Amino acid sequence: MASISKEPNGRRTIQFMAGDGKRRSIRLGKVAQRVAEGIKYRVEVINSAVIAKQAIDPDTARWLASIDDKLYAKLASVGLCHSRLTAKLGEFLDEYVNGRTDVKQSTRDHLNRVKADLTDCFGAETPLAAFTRADGERFRVWLVEKRVSSNTVRRRCGRAKQFFAHAVDREVLDRNPFAEVKSAVHANKSRYHFVTREDAEKVLDACPDAEWRLIFALCRYAGLRCPSEVLALKWEHVNWQHDRLTVPSPKTDHHAGGDCRIIPIFPELHPYLEDAQRLAPRTAEHVITRNRSENANLRTQLHRIIKGAGVKPWPKVFQNLRSTRETELTETFPLHVVCSWIGNSEPVASKHYLQVTDGHFAQALEPDPEALQNPVQHAPETFGTAPHPAALEKEKPGKHCNNSGSRVFEAPPAGLEPATRRLTAACSTN
C-alpha cells in the first residue's frame, strides 16, 4: 500500500514499500489531493505488478503512456518503470527472463538462447527506444546468415517479438519492432519419415536390453513424447486390468486437463511393457530406471541403435515415431480419438504429424473387388423406356428372361400405393 503525506508548504509526497523492502518516495509538488489520490492508486497497481513480475493491466499501461516525461521520470527513478530514453537491451532482457518464474526450465533455456542472439546482433547497451521495424528484419537476416533452419529462425523471431511486446506493455516502447516479422512455424515435410513395422522390428531386435526395447515401443506403438513422457511414466500408471495406460504430459500440464491422458495398452506395446515389469526391481517407481540421468542423451543412443540395426536413421528420431503412430492409427480410428491418445489437437496433427505414405498410393491403385464382380452392370431401366440395343447384345441369353421368352424389367413404385415392385414384359428376345 502507498500513502500520501503533505508538507506545511502544501507539497505532497507519495510513499510506498518497494519489492526490495525499502521505502520509496515520489515528490509530486503542489497538486490537489484528488490528483495525488489518482497517482497513488496507479503507483500501488504498478508496484504490485513489479513485485509479482507481471505485466500491468491495459488501463494502467495507457495511463503510464499518457503522463508527461517529468512524472514518468519520477516513477522510473524509484523502479516502477524503465526510463523512456535510457532503457538498455541487455538489462531489459535480463529482467524479463529472470522474471519468468512461471515457465519450465526448457522454456527459460530457449529465452536465454534468444536473449544471447539479440545481444550478439545488436549489443547489450543499445537503447530500446532506438529500435525500429527495420531492426526486426535485420535480426531475421542475421539468423539466416548463421545458417539456422527456417523454422528455428521463425521460432527465435517469435521469442524476440515476445520480448518487445513486454516492452510495449510496460510502455517503454510505443510499438513492437518485430510485429511484422514472420514467426509462425511451418511443417517441414522434407523431414517427415514413416517408420515401417519392418524397420521398427529390426530396431527392436538391435536394442541392447528390455528397457531400451520399451523406450522404443512406447514411442513407436504408443506415440509418447520422449524423453518427457517416457521418463515421467510410473508403474502406478499401468492398469493391467483394463489394459489402459495413464500418460503424464509435462509439456501440456499448464493447459486445463492437459496434465495427463489415458491411452490403450496397444497389443504391439503389451509384450514389451510386460517384459520390462517382469525384470524391474520390486522397489522401482518409474518404468524407465537406468536412463534417467541428465547426461543420458537418448536421441544420440537411439541413433546408434538404429544404425546398428542396419536401418538408415530418419531425420527426427523421436518425433517421426510419434508421427508414424498417429498416421497409422487414423487408418482405423476417428481423428478426434487418435488426437486424444497422442496428446495433440486436430489442427496440429494435420499440420505437423499426419503423413501421406507409400501404402496410401498402393491402396489407391488396388482394384475394387466389388467393381470386378460384374463389370457389365446397368442401372434398372424405368418402365416404358426401351433398352439400348448394344446392351441387349451383351446380355447373356435368358439371364433376365422369364419362361415365355419375354425380357423382364423392374418398374419403380408408382402412385400412392405401398412401395412394391411389379414386373412388366418390356420386350421380346426375338
Side-chain angles (χ1 to χ4, degrees), residues 395-408 427-429:
E395 292 289 351
K396 294 181 180 180
K399 182 177 180 181
H400 295 293
C401 297
N402 58 17
N403 294 333
S404 63
S406 297
R407 189 168 172 78
V408 178
C427 66
S428 174
T429 56

Side-chain angles (χ1 to χ4, degrees), residues 60-284:
T60 303
R62 286 190 292 270
W63 176 85
L64 195 59
S66 66
I67 62 178
D68 58 34
D69 290 340
K70 186 176 180 181
L71 177 56
Y72 189 98
K74 290 179 179 180
L75 298 179
S77 67
V78 294
L80 292 178
C81 57
H82 288 281
S83 170
R84 281 174 171 165
L85 301 177
T86 61
K88 300 294 193 299
L89 176 63
E91 65 183 26
F92 174 78
L93 296 179
D94 285 338
E95 178 187 352
Y96 179 79
V97 174
N98 293 335
R100 292 306 304 269
T101 57
D102 58 323
V103 298
K104 295 183 175 66
Q105 185 58 45
S106 58
T107 302
R108 289 175 60 84
D109 291 342
H110 194 255
L111 291 173
N112 279 313
R113 189 176 301 117
V114 179
K115 181 187 76 172
D117 284 338
L118 285 167
T119 53
D120 287 347
C121 181
F122 298 106
E125 296 301 312
T126 303
L128 288 183
F131 279 84
T132 65
R133 289 184 178 180
D135 290 314
E137 181 62 20
R138 174 186 165 193
F139 182 65
R140 187 193 69 80
V141 173
W142 183 82
L143 289 173
V144 171
E145 290 176 347
K146 289 184 64 178
R147 299 184 181 278
V148 177
S149 69
S150 60
N151 271 341
T152 301
V153 170
R154 288 172 177 266
R155 287 191 186 94
R156 296 189 184 181
C157 286
R159 289 295 188 192
K161 187 182 296 186
Q162 176 182 337
F163 286 138
F164 282 88
H166 180 68
V168 173
D169 290 340
R170 293 290 301 275
E171 295 299 331
V172 179
L173 298 176
D174 58 0
R175 76 283 178 277
N176 190 333
F178 284 82
E180 304 300 324
V181 179
K182 294 179 180 179
S183 57
V185 176
H186 297 305
N188 185 356
K189 296 187 182 299
S190 66
R191 291 173 64 80
Y192 279 13
H193 182 82
F194 188 88
V195 183
T196 65
R197 296 201 171 214
E198 180 183 1
D199 283 346
E201 291 303 317
K202 291 180 181 178
V203 175
L204 285 166
D205 290 341
C207 287
D209 51 44
E211 187 166 285
W212 256 110
R213 284 191 290 274
L214 180 57
I215 292 174
F216 186 84
L218 286 169
C219 298
R220 174 57 181 85
Y221 296 130
L224 268 62
R225 295 180 178 93
C226 189
S228 62
E229 293 178 350
V230 170
L231 296 185
L233 198 62
K234 298 180 180 180
W235 288 116
E236 66 184 30
H237 297 139
V238 181
N239 185 340
W240 291 112
Q241 182 179 358
H242 297 97
D243 278 335
R244 294 185 182 183
L245 191 66
T246 300
V247 180
S249 183
K251 182 177 181 179
T252 60
D253 62 3
H254 58 287
H255 297 297
D259 57 328
C260 67
R261 63 184 185 275
I262 298 177
I263 68 172
I265 299 179
F266 297 98
E268 306 96 324
L269 172 64
H270 197 286
Y272 301 104
L273 190 61
E274 191 176 47
D275 192 35
Q277 187 175 50
R278 181 176 56 82
L279 297 174
R282 292 185 178 181
T283 58

Side-chain angles (χ1 to χ4, degrees), residues 4-15:
I4 300 175
S5 62
K6 183 180 178 182
E7 299 176 12
N9 57 10
R11 290 184 171 86
R12 289 181 168 81
T13 301
I14 295 177
Q15 294 183 319

